[in-house]
Amino acid sequence: TSVSESLKADTFKHFGVTREIEVIPNFVKISDYEKHSTDCSHELFAPKGEKVIMHISNFRKVKRVEDVLQVFDKVRKVIPAKLIMVGDGPERANIEKLCRELNTCDDIKSLGKIVNPEQVLAIADLFLLPSETESFGLAALEAMALSVPVISSNSGGLPEVNFDGVSGYLSNVGDIEGMAANAIKILENNETLNNFKSNALTTAKQFDIQNILPLYEELYLRAISIYA
């Protein structure tokens, strides 16, 4: 996986780098996520069969958590849905105020910080990550490792993890309308949803530790050979 050409150029210019930069992506261990598939019940949060949308973060401004609520509000007007918020942080008061303004509080469950969020993430139908920027997007990859498609911004490293139209969709930062439309596109048809879920897992498997660890080993071996 490589960073965008523009990002490379900016990096080279800023740091005075003259040699090609090699990028090794983050990774997950898929087998660790498979065991959480039955940890939690979908019906616990969506007793009437609603779709479950989820967001997990530290609730900082860079995560654009208010966008999560705005997107959810538009989706739930078309498709019965529940939103699960996992995490805590400085934006908590603002999103609590916004949910009252949007009259969405009854459809939102805030779980705060939990030790193993993947246990709840396993029941989600869709993951929202509208961040201002993400260096890689590990939260998106973790969702995909649990067969959860992702609606995200196209900022930072997210396009290298979330493949547009395959594992989910990418939108410009702040494009609430576009994110909501894409979310509805995935959720409104179960066959489409299942295809995206399958694609999300297939994509995540590309980042399994068995595929990524050898890249680190190769890099270390080359470094040793150079300086030995």
Side-chain angles (χ1 to χ4, degrees):
T1 303
S2 62
V3 293
S4 66
E5 292 302 318
S6 61
L7 181 57
K8 280 195 206 177
D10 289 343
T11 303
F12 294 163
K13 181 179 179 180
H14 182 76
F15 292 103
V17 176
T18 57
R19 296 175 61 185
E20 182 76 5
I21 291 179
E22 294 184 45
V23 176
I24 300 177
N26 220 322
F27 58 83
V28 290
K29 188 176 180 182
I30 296 294
S31 59
D32 284 349
Y33 290 83
E34 291 173 343
K35 63 186 179 183
H36 293 297
S37 60
T38 58
D39 283 350
C40 190
S41 168
H42 188 282
E43 289 73 25
L44 180 64
F45 295 98
K48 297 181 180 178
E50 301 95 335
K51 301 302 184 188
V52 173
I53 300 172
M54 192 169 298
H55 173 77
I56 302 173
S57 76
N58 51 22
F59 289 22
R60 292 182 296 129
K61 276 193 176 295
V62 70
K63 299 299 183 180
R64 299 186 68 95
V65 189
E66 291 188 8
D67 287 8
V68 173
L69 268 66
Q70 296 279 9
V71 171
F72 172 67
D73 183 45
K74 294 183 181 300
V75 171
R76 77 185 185 106
K77 290 175 179 176
V78 179
I79 296 171
K82 298 290 185 180
L83 175 64
I84 300 177
M85 303 284 285
V86 179
D88 202 353
E91 288 297 292
R92 184 180 182 88
N94 289 334
I95 62 176
E96 288 177 350
K97 179 175 178 289
L98 181 58
C99 94
R100 291 192 295 270
E101 292 174 356
L102 296 173
N103 195 30
T104 57
C105 295
D106 289 344
D107 291 324
I108 298 175
K109 180 68 173 179
S110 295
L111 301 183
K113 294 180 180 179
I114 57 178
V115 177
N116 296 308
E118 62 273 11
Q119 293 179 328
V120 181
L121 181 55
I123 69 164
D125 294 298
L126 195 67
F127 188 74
L128 295 183
L129 192 64
S131 305
E132 190 81 29
T133 186
E134 291 279 349
S135 58
F136 176 73
L138 183 58
L141 180 56
E142 290 173 336
M144 290 156 52
L146 288 162
S147 301
V148 181
V150 176
I151 296 293
S152 73
S153 62
N154 56 10
S155 179
L158 283 168
E160 297 178 28
V161 180
N162 183 22
F163 298 165
D164 190 49
V166 179
S167 59
Y169 284 106
L170 300 165
S171 296
N172 292 330
V173 174
D175 183 7
I176 293 168
E177 294 285 349
M179 291 182 187
N182 287 333
I184 292 168
K185 193 183 301 182
I186 291 176
L187 295 174
E188 65 184 351
N189 180 280
N190 284 333
E191 182 178 354
T192 300
L193 174 59
N194 289 333
N195 285 337
F196 271 94
K197 285 187 172 186
S198 176
N199 291 342
L201 179 57
T202 298
T203 302
K205 286 179 177 178
Q206 297 179 35
F207 297 89
D208 185 73
I209 188 171
Q210 293 184 4
N211 297 323
I212 304 302
L213 186 58
L215 301 180
Y216 282 97
E217 293 173 340
E218 180 188 354
L219 177 63
Y220 289 139
L221 289 173
R222 276 192 282 130
I224 291 171
S225 67
I226 292 174
Y227 296 103

